[in-house]
Amino acid sequence: MLTKKQLELLEFIHKRVQRDGVPPSFDEMKEALDLRSKSGIHRLITALEERGFIRRLAHRARAIEIVKLPDSVSAKASGFSPVVIDGDKPDVNPPANAMMVAVDAVELPVMGRIAAGVPIEAINQESHKVAVPGQMLSGKGDHYALEVKGDSMIEAGINDGDVVVIRETTTADNGDIVVALVEDHEATLKRYRRNGNAIALEAANPAYETRVFREDQVKVQGRLVGLIRTY
């Protein structure tokens, strides 16, 4: 038997994994359950793990496996199958009734840092690699990753230190979050808006102003398709 908060958290994790392919961060869990501190989330996660509903994979950030759902949730989740995020082999054998679907991991090059704030110098050199779930990669074309520097996109859920997954493209639709190369030497992560021959790069933080450029001053280098957060 789960408490109301334990059930709410399990449902929230399940919905986010089904929607995004990755579980929410502790901060997102805290906000969703309207708790005052992350310590409450830690206690709920531990309780769910002790009751066999989830499993945390050792030495992996945001690595939560949903082992089972209570009947009340399963009835609403048609065709549910548990997912292993950041699919590393667990340290112990799973129980006989655990169903697991491994998420294929793909290694992407991390091409340095991208500014979510004042634009920094353009990035074009690989620093290391990062493993991401295969289902995070969308559409045709190559993908790469960038580490976010700055807080101008926090209201879009992108924090300083996050790693964003980018699909290479030279075009974007209004509202897309893109990697934009400004005047051939500054790269920034912003929301893209076109109005005639003008392009606006919008922040998702009221502390930063929208910057407007001529279309020949901005080149789209990629579109955001995923995000990885460690905690």
Side-chain angles (χ1 to χ4, degrees):
M1 179 69 70
L2 296 178
T3 67
K4 181 180 178 181
K5 284 296 186 184
Q6 290 165 1
L7 183 59
E8 286 178 4
L9 180 59
L10 184 60
E11 286 191 87
F12 179 63
I13 294 171
H14 167 61
K15 288 177 181 177
R16 288 294 296 272
V17 168
Q18 294 296 300
R19 189 190 76 183
D20 301 336
V22 292
S25 69
F26 274 32
D27 283 328
E28 290 167 331
M29 296 179 199
K30 177 173 71 72
E31 182 177 346
L33 270 66
D34 196 26
L35 296 180
R36 293 184 178 180
S37 70
K38 286 191 285 189
S39 62
I41 295 297
H42 281 281
R43 288 193 293 270
L44 292 173
I45 288 287
T46 299
L48 289 172
E49 190 172 29
E50 289 174 348
R51 288 161 175 76
F53 288 96
I54 66 172
R55 180 181 296 110
R56 286 177 285 189
L57 305 184
H59 313 303
R60 290 291 184 273
R62 293 182 73 171
I64 296 176
E65 169 198 346
I66 300 179
V67 178
K68 63 181 181 180
L69 291 174
D71 291 341
S72 60
V73 179
S74 296
K76 294 186 286 184
S78 120
F80 165 73
S81 60
V83 176
V84 178
I85 301 302
D86 224 348
D88 193 34
K89 184 177 180 180
D91 293 341
V92 296
N93 292 327
N97 63 346
M99 299 172 59
M100 295 192 301
V101 178
V103 175
D104 293 332
V106 177
E107 280 200 340
L108 293 181
V110 179
M111 305 300 289
R113 289 185 171 185
I114 183 74
V118 179
I120 56 178
E121 290 300 309
I123 299 160
N124 57 14
Q125 190 168 14
E126 177 181 336
S127 60
H128 60 285
K129 291 185 182 293
V130 63
V132 304
Q135 74 263 34
M136 185 180 288
L137 309 184
S138 65
K140 297 179 180 179
D142 294 331
H143 292 74
Y144 58 93
L146 295 166
E147 183 182 349
V148 175
K149 178 68 174 178
D151 62 356
S152 75
M153 298 301 290
I154 56 174
E155 291 189 1
I158 303 171
N159 298 335
D160 184 51
D162 286 347
V163 173
V164 289
V165 178
I166 304 296
R167 178 172 63 86
E168 287 187 3
T169 180
T170 58
T171 62
D173 296 326
N174 280 345
D176 285 347
I177 295 176
V178 303
V179 173
L181 182 64
V182 179
E183 297 180 327
D184 287 328
H185 71 276
E186 294 178 326
T188 187
L189 185 73
K190 291 290 182 292
R191 197 173 297 279
Y192 175 95
R193 303 281 183 190
R194 172 184 282 275
N195 184 6
N197 294 327
I199 293 178
L201 299 178
E202 297 178 353
N205 182 337
Y208 294 83
E209 294 183 355
T210 296
R211 304 177 72 201
V212 180
F213 300 92
R214 300 189 313 271
E215 61 178 345
D216 64 321
Q217 293 178 296
V218 176
K219 295 177 182 177
V220 174
Q221 294 195 316
R223 184 175 65 83
L224 176 73
V225 298
L227 181 145
I228 302 168
R229 177 171 300 147
T230 58
Y231 56 87

